[in-house]
Every structure is written in C-alpha cells, then in structure tokens.
Amino acid sequence: MNNECSKWKKLNNGLPQGSVLAPLLFNIYISDMPETKSKKFGYADDLALAIEVDSYEEGETILEEDVKILFDYYSSWRLNPNPSKTEVSIFHLNNKLANKIPKVRFNDVLFQYNPNPKYLGVYLDRSLTFSHHLQKTSAKIRTRR
C-alpha cells in the first residue's frame, strides 16, 4: 500500500485471521471430506450434520459414527475440532418426547444439548416454529428504541 511492502512472516500452519483467501483455501483443503450417512451443511469452518430417522437411538448411533469419521478425517489434516464446543439438537413434533435429550458422544465426551441452536444467525426450535428466533429479534429491536 502506498508503494510500501509488508514484512514477511512465516506461518507454520494455517492462514492469518481475516485473510481474503482463507475461505476459498479452506474449502479446497476439505474438499475430499469423507461420505457420511448424515447430510453435511458447511459455512466457512462451521459444519452441521442433519439426519432424518424414526427413533432417537437410531439418530444417536448414526451421529456418533459420522462424528468419528469426521474427527478422524480432521485429525489426518491437522485440524482440531473441539468436542466441548460441539452441540446436538433435535427437531420433531412429538410432544411426548419434547423433554428427551439426545445423547451423542465422541471419545467419552457427551456433546452439549442445545434446544435452540443458532445457525447462520437464525435461532431454531424443536418444532421449527421460529418462535424463539422471533422472541430474540423482538427483544433486540426493543432495546434500539
């Protein structure tokens, strides 16, 4: 900038925070992600797994298998996902199971259950009514009067 050059800096692993090329290079870096039974939805370095099943137990089993596949893959590429920051949620209309909490683990770490996860700026709820998101948005608007 202004005919000046920045200083050289050697990076051992990764890219500088905010690098313009980082999202593109990260997508190339993980382009060979292995197949899983669940569908994968990614944005930048966030990944969501989604499955449709008939029972909690089936869902827990599939998610645990898929998480193991992905964590093994990440480890092979020197990426370190944090199980303590990984959440599990469930969406359904069965009111009898409204308070049941899914139990999904990896390496004996039980993933935290979040009944209202925020994904790409939208809060989700069990029956996908978006009522939690609307409450949060309404509260935010009230503070800006």
Side-chain angles (χ1 to χ4, degrees), residues 28-56:
I28 293 169
Y29 194 64
I30 63 166
S31 64
D32 64 341
M33 197 179 302
E35 290 294 320
T36 56
K37 291 180 184 175
S38 52
K39 292 181 183 176
K40 297 183 284 292
F41 299 93
Y43 182 77
D45 62 347
D46 287 334
L47 182 68
L49 300 179
I51 55 170
E52 183 177 344
V53 293
D54 293 325
S55 72
Y56 269 73

Side-chain angles (χ1 to χ4, degrees), residues 4-126:
E4 296 286 326
C5 293
S6 59
K7 295 179 183 175
W8 284 93
K9 181 168 173 122
K10 182 179 178 184
L11 297 174
N12 295 326
N13 189 9
L15 294 165
Q17 183 72 30
S19 167
V20 175
L21 286 177
L24 174 66
L25 293 174
F26 185 76
N27 285 338
I28 293 169
Y29 194 64
I30 63 166
S31 64
D32 64 341
M33 197 179 302
E35 290 294 320
T36 56
K37 291 180 184 175
S38 52
K39 292 181 183 176
K40 297 183 284 292
F41 299 93
Y43 182 77
D45 62 347
D46 287 334
L47 182 68
L49 300 179
I51 55 170
E52 183 177 344
V53 293
D54 293 325
S55 72
Y56 269 73
E57 294 75 19
E58 180 184 5
E60 291 167 346
T61 300
I62 290 171
L63 286 174
E64 284 183 357
E65 290 169 359
D66 287 352
V67 165
K68 172 147 181 30
I69 289 168
L70 293 173
F71 273 60
D72 289 346
Y73 166 80
Y74 291 141
S75 294
S76 72
W77 284 110
R78 296 176 50 186
L79 296 171
N80 299 312
N82 188 343
S84 67
K85 290 185 178 180
T86 303
E87 297 178 336
V88 63
S89 296
I90 192 152
F91 307 102
H92 61 83
L93 297 174
N94 187 338
N95 289 331
K96 290 180 182 178
L97 299 174
N99 295 321
K100 186 166 171 75
I101 296 175
K103 301 202 179 348
V104 179
R105 355 177 154 266
F106 177 72
N107 284 348
D108 295 326
V109 175
L110 183 65
F111 292 150
Q112 180 180 343
Y113 170 67
N114 184 349
N116 300 109
K118 185 177 181 183
Y119 188 66
L120 300 179
V122 177
Y123 287 95
L124 305 172
D125 58 83
R126 178 182 60 85

